[in-house]
Amino acid sequence: MNARLLTTASQPAPDRVAGRVLVVDDHAKARESMADILRQSGHQVQCCSSAIEALGQLDTESVDVVITDLKMPGMTGLEFIHKLEHRPHGAQVLMVTAYATVASAVEAMRHGAFDYIEKPFGAEQLETLVDRALRHGRLLDRAGGIPGRGGASVAMIGSSVAMQTLRARIAQVAPTAETVLITGESGTGKVLVARSLHAASSRRDAALVSLNCPVLSAHLMESELFGHEKGAFTGADAPRTGRFELADGGTILLDEITEVDLPLQAKLLRVLQEKSFERVGSSQTVHVDVRVLATTNRNLKDEVTAGRFREDLFYRLNVVPLRVPALRERREDVPALVDHFLRQAAARLRKDPCVLEPAALDLLCEYRWPGNIRELENLITQASVLNLGAPVRADELHAALIEEPGSKPPLDEAAIPVGLSLHDMERRLIEATLERFAGHRAKTAEALGIGLRTLSGKLKEYGYAPRAKVLSRAG
């Protein structure tokens, strides 16, 4: 047992999410050390001493994250991950190893692992990685699941003209090696469209490596994308393979690409142009064969005009644009989506699917869905949890809707004075949304479809105090 496996546990971060974690390791000290740190961070943790024991436990209990060691007797971590690939477990899988190689990491991610971490590692590294895995899993859950693991992709449910067009476009684009820019509002299922593109491509047997750009600082994002050498910066106690290198031969998904800072955009442009880069702290050039998929819920042309996004990078990404329609543009698909979410919620709750009264379904079909599929899924889950057996009425659903049914978008023509600059309009929208959520920045960022870091930067620019709990100006 390596005494340097983990350092002292850090204090739980207030913005981290808690979840159910299963730790699988044949070394008792390592197993309990990880469990203690994660429990101090607010997670519910269970432990297994072997992969075989873990498979049995997953037959009866569900978890959000599985952490597995690589070297274990009986069944190795990679063999365990292979088994999980064919089971509808819904958990994000993290591989822990003291024997990490690029090959083993790629193999794990090819078969569904979210990420890997090398021993020895610190408590904060473990907490951060589990937090990212939880957020990634919940993002997929809100969008409706993972294609090929537990059911059909909810992004592909529906017979509307908009969905038929999207499916045809995916089938046309997927076999190529071209870069695809997937656009659409927050909650429409852009990540699942990216996964569908990869699954239908010639790279389907290689890894699909994802990076959720809004959750990382600029410094960490560079290391995550390109990797780093030992000693490259404070805390770089061991070399790390970046996402581009892990995706060699496969696909990389850059989720919400507008959150990448301008200096890093230049390095990203070079990778798209030359398929090469250097790890942080290294002068050795690494060459990769990677297909790039990127998503954004913002208008990149507007970001270019505002100077927040490089024009040359935009053109490199926008080789094949693919727009995911908002739910209000395909309201005829709502009944099929409702049925899907009712059955999904019933399976989780281990009860019969509840039934909606005709008036309740009519209400959902007429609603604008500003939160798109994510809002619909949350509403149906809430109704399923609270249902006592009687058909769900329209008035029971009405109170949970974000907007009044039939209402217009918050920014209509009457609300925007002629001649108002784009910068001032953006500021008005941010301030109005912040006020609506009583100064809660995380909820404001989610409602606006931007990263928390981006929102904080804009509020600082407007003169607001850092991390204000209520709407208040600095000074």
Side-chain angles (χ1 to χ4, degrees):
M1 169 62 193
N2 191 329
R4 294 180 61 235
L5 171 62
L6 294 171
T7 60
T8 305
S10 59
Q11 293 298 316
D15 58 343
R16 282 183 173 153
V17 296
R20 298 160 298 173
V21 182
L22 177 63
V23 178
V24 187
D25 197 315
D26 62 310
H27 291 285
K29 289 183 179 179
R31 195 168 62 238
E32 291 306 322
S33 182
M34 286 188 280
D36 287 346
I37 284 170
L38 293 174
R39 287 185 182 116
Q40 289 183 50
S41 298
H43 303 292
Q44 299 176 32
V45 185
Q46 296 176 311
C47 296
C48 290
S49 60
S50 72
I52 295 172
E53 181 188 351
L55 288 173
Q57 188 153 324
L58 289 171
D59 283 335
T60 59
E61 298 183 46
S62 62
V63 299
D64 302 307
V65 176
V66 174
I67 303 175
T68 178
D69 196 23
L70 174 63
K71 298 287 186 178
M72 294 186 292
M75 181 185 294
T76 68
L78 280 177
E79 290 170 337
F80 178 42
I81 291 171
H82 289 184
K83 294 281 187 183
L84 292 178
E85 182 183 18
H86 302 290
R87 296 164 60 126
H89 56 89
Q92 298 300 304
V93 182
L94 303 174
M95 185 177 73
V96 178
T97 178
Y99 309 91
T101 64
V102 173
S104 64
V106 170
E107 179 73 6
M109 298 177 80
R110 178 179 295 149
H111 291 279
F114 172 70
D115 208 342
Y116 75 100
I117 187 169
E118 297 178 56
K119 300 175 186 176
F121 52 86
E124 188 168 350
Q125 285 178 276
L126 179 64
E127 292 168 348
T128 299
L129 188 57
V130 170
D131 182 71
R132 283 172 43 207
L134 282 167
R135 292 179 186 276
H136 182 73
R138 291 177 186 183
L139 175 66
L140 292 176
D141 285 343
R142 288 169 180 168
I146 305 173
R149 193 168 301 175
S153 163
V154 69
M156 300 296 103
I157 290 176
S159 57
S160 63
V161 173
M163 288 310 300
Q164 292 180 38
T165 302
L166 178 61
R167 280 193 291 266
R169 191 71 178 271
I170 289 173
Q172 183 181 10
V173 172
T176 74
E178 300 303 325
T179 301
V180 181
L181 179 63
I182 306 168
T183 62
E185 296 177 7
S186 180
T188 52
K190 298 186 293 295
V191 170
L192 293 178
V193 169
R195 288 179 172 268
S196 298
L197 283 167
H198 175 73
S201 74
S202 60
R203 298 169 181 255
R204 67 178 70 87
D205 294 328
L208 170 60
V209 179
S210 303
L211 183 67
N212 188 10
C213 299
V215 303
L216 296 174
S217 66
H219 172 67
L220 287 177
M221 193 180 298
E222 182 174 8
S223 174
E224 282 294 321
L225 285 171
F226 307 124
H228 64 252
E229 297 297 336
K230 181 178 180 180
F233 50 84
T234 303
D237 299 325
R240 178 169 179 82
T241 304
R243 298 298 175 107
F244 270 99
E245 202 168 342
L246 288 170
D248 191 20
T251 307
I252 189 168
L253 169 60
L254 304 175
D255 191 22
E256 298 305 341
I257 188 112
T258 49
E259 297 302 314
V260 177
D261 287 350
L262 281 169
L264 191 53
Q265 288 178 26
K267 297 184 178 182
L268 197 55
L269 176 65
R270 181 195 166 195
V271 180
L272 268 65
Q273 290 174 330
E274 304 175 11
K275 304 295 184 183
S276 63
F277 59 90
E278 288 79 39
R279 290 184 177 186
V280 178
S282 172
S283 59
Q284 183 177 353
T285 300
V286 178
H287 298 274
V288 291
D289 170 25
V290 176
R291 184 188 193 179
V292 177
L293 308 177
T295 74
T296 180
N297 56 26
R298 311 185 77 174
N299 187 317
L300 276 190
K301 290 184 179 179
D302 289 346
E303 295 298 297
V304 170
T305 301
R308 292 187 291 266
F309 203 83
R310 292 179 63 107
E311 185 175 20
D312 45 9
L313 180 56
F314 166 68
Y315 287 120
R316 280 287 175 180
L317 290 170
N318 199 43
V319 176
V320 181
L322 193 60
R323 180 179 175 273
V324 184
L327 186 51
R328 64 179 171 276
E329 298 173 31
R330 54 182 189 108
R331 285 190 174 99
E332 58 265 51
D333 293 332
V334 169
L337 288 164
V338 168
D339 181 66
H340 171 80
F341 287 132
L342 286 172
R343 287 186 282 105
Q344 196 177 62
R348 290 197 304 270
L349 298 170
R350 297 184 180 181
K351 59 190 286 189
D352 292 333
C354 57
V355 178
L356 271 61
E357 287 187 349
L361 186 58
D362 289 343
L363 174 71
L364 300 185
C365 291
E366 293 169 2
Y367 185 56
R368 285 191 69 257
W369 298 111
N372 292 295
I373 295 175
R374 184 179 304 161
E375 183 185 359
L376 175 59
E377 194 267 350
N378 288 342
L379 180 67
I380 295 302
T381 297
Q382 181 186 117
S384 298
V385 169
L386 299 177
N387 185 256
L388 298 177
V392 179
R393 305 186 310 273
D395 62 299
E396 293 179 271
L397 300 176
H398 188 280
L401 300 179
I402 294 176
E403 295 180 356
E404 282 296 312
S407 65
K408 293 181 179 180
L411 287 178
D412 58 19
E413 186 176 347
I416 307 174
V418 176
L420 185 69
S421 70
L422 183 63
H423 179 272
D424 288 340
M425 186 173 73
E426 179 185 70
R427 176 172 178 165
R428 282 194 182 188
L429 178 61
I430 289 175
E431 290 180 333
T433 308
L434 188 67
E435 186 172 8
R436 177 177 180 179
F437 289 103
H440 195 295
R441 296 194 175 192
K443 292 181 179 179
T444 300
E446 183 176 1
L448 291 169
I450 61 177
L452 184 58
R453 186 159 54 89
T454 298
L455 175 64
S456 298
K458 290 185 177 296
L459 291 177
K460 182 178 179 181
E461 176 187 336
Y462 303 154
Y464 287 88
R467 295 187 177 275
K469 292 185 178 180
V470 295
L471 191 63
S472 60
R473 292 294 181 89

